[in-house]
Amino acid sequence: AQSVTQPDIHITVSEGASLELRCNYSYGATPYLFWYVQSPGQGLQLLLKYLSGDTLVQGIKGFEAEFKRSQSSFNLRKPSVHWSDAAEYFCAVGAGNQFYFGTGTSLTVIP
Amino acid sequence: KAGVTQTPRYLIKTRGQQVTLSCSPISGHRSVSWYQQTPGQGLQFLFEYFSETQRNKGNFPGRFSGRQFSNSRSEMNVSTLELGDSALYLCASSPNPPGQGSNQPQHFGDGTRLSIL
């Protein structure tokens, strides 16, 4: 069965520091991969997606993610975090006829 | 282009009542999916509609139902509400259903916050 794992429930970083959020998936074939961000009281906004081709994908707000097939991972990165990046981040897999979401990682940014 | 619109934004109900939530997808999007989001369970898939047909359903009891209209707008209904139904209900739309293009990202509305007293 398909599944998405975000091992870090909560992460705290200092403003200006780099960030990496982990995502691992379980799927028999190459999936379509997405990262979403959710601010309090709002819906999910798409940050970036991997469909095929170049395994390093760029997204909005300065985020990027790298697909590593050998590790079944799709980690999200940002070189310098801003206070406005504090939010909940969800990794998702498009597989078969459904989307599967991870349980999310809550990001706190301290000044 | 207007985004996904969900109404109402907030609802308070009591146990045993029923509720109907509405979702208007992005213009041109024909697939609408519903999710339940709670702190303990994360995002749980409820069902997905395309061209007025339910194409996929998550693992929820029959109290949860939905429908889609010819203009792609969708409603979900929850009957005999229970305390555990308190959640944020999110609607997402995409041009095609996941099975025909799960490479197309879903676009989410801001959700309806349902509280059961």
Side-chain angles (χ1 to χ4, degrees):
Chain A
Q2 296 84 358
S3 67
V4 181
T5 302
Q6 293 181 247
D8 303 307
I9 296 174
H10 186 252
I11 284 182
T12 299
V13 299
S14 298
E15 191 169 15
S18 63
L19 171 70
E20 181 168 24
L21 302 182
R22 296 183 291 165
C23 173
N24 294 94
Y25 66 90
S26 173
Y27 183 55
T30 300
Y32 300 118
L33 299 161
F34 309 87
W35 273 99
Y36 287 86
V37 61
Q38 184 180 34
S39 297
Q42 296 186 6
L44 278 68
Q45 180 185 20
L46 179 69
L47 282 174
L48 47 77
K49 59 186 177 184
Y50 170 78
L51 305 181
S52 65
D54 193 346
T55 56
L56 183 64
V57 294
Q58 304 296 320
I60 62 171
K61 305 185 179 186
F63 285 93
E64 67 177 27
E66 186 171 13
F67 169 56
K68 293 185 177 180
R69 185 190 307 274
S70 61
Q71 299 176 19
S72 297
S73 69
F74 188 56
N75 294 348
L76 181 71
R77 301 194 293 248
K78 187 170 184 177
S80 178
V81 170
H82 188 263
W83 64 266
S84 60
D85 293 326
E88 187 94 15
Y89 291 80
F90 293 91
C91 180
V93 167
N97 60 354
Q98 197 170 319
F99 276 81
Y100 301 86
F101 286 86
T103 51
T105 297
S106 177
L107 175 65
T108 296
V109 180
I110 55 177
Chain B
K1 195 183 241 187
V4 177
T5 303
Q6 291 188 246
T7 57
R9 287 297 311 276
Y10 303 93
L11 264 179
I12 299 176
K13 293 286 186 178
T14 58
R15 283 181 297 173
Q17 288 186 309
Q18 74 165 13
V19 68
T20 299
L21 312 181
S22 179
C23 172
S24 293
I26 291 173
S27 178
H29 286 193
R30 298 169 64 194
S31 172
V32 173
S33 298
W34 288 90
Y35 296 85
Q36 181 194 66
Q37 185 179 25
T38 58
Q41 300 294 321
L43 275 161
Q44 304 276 306
F45 172 73
L46 281 157
F47 28 65
E48 185 260 338
Y49 287 87
F50 180 78
S51 292
E52 302 178 65
T53 301
Q54 185 183 93
R55 296 174 62 93
N56 202 8
K57 189 177 189 304
N59 188 27
F60 277 81
R63 299 186 297 108
F64 292 81
S65 63
R67 59 177 174 169
Q68 187 181 34
F69 302 95
S70 58
N71 61 358
S72 295
R73 189 177 71 84
S74 177
E75 290 181 345
M76 69 163 280
N77 183 277
V78 188
S79 62
T80 319
L81 286 165
E82 301 176 359
L83 293 177
D85 297 333
S86 294
L88 179 66
Y89 289 88
L90 292 167
C91 167
S93 75
S94 62
N96 291 308
Q100 293 181 11
S102 51
N103 60 342
Q104 296 173 347
Q106 296 192 312
H107 300 262
F108 285 81
D110 286 339
T112 294
R113 172 75 63 186
L114 175 62
S115 299
I116 311 301
L117 304 179

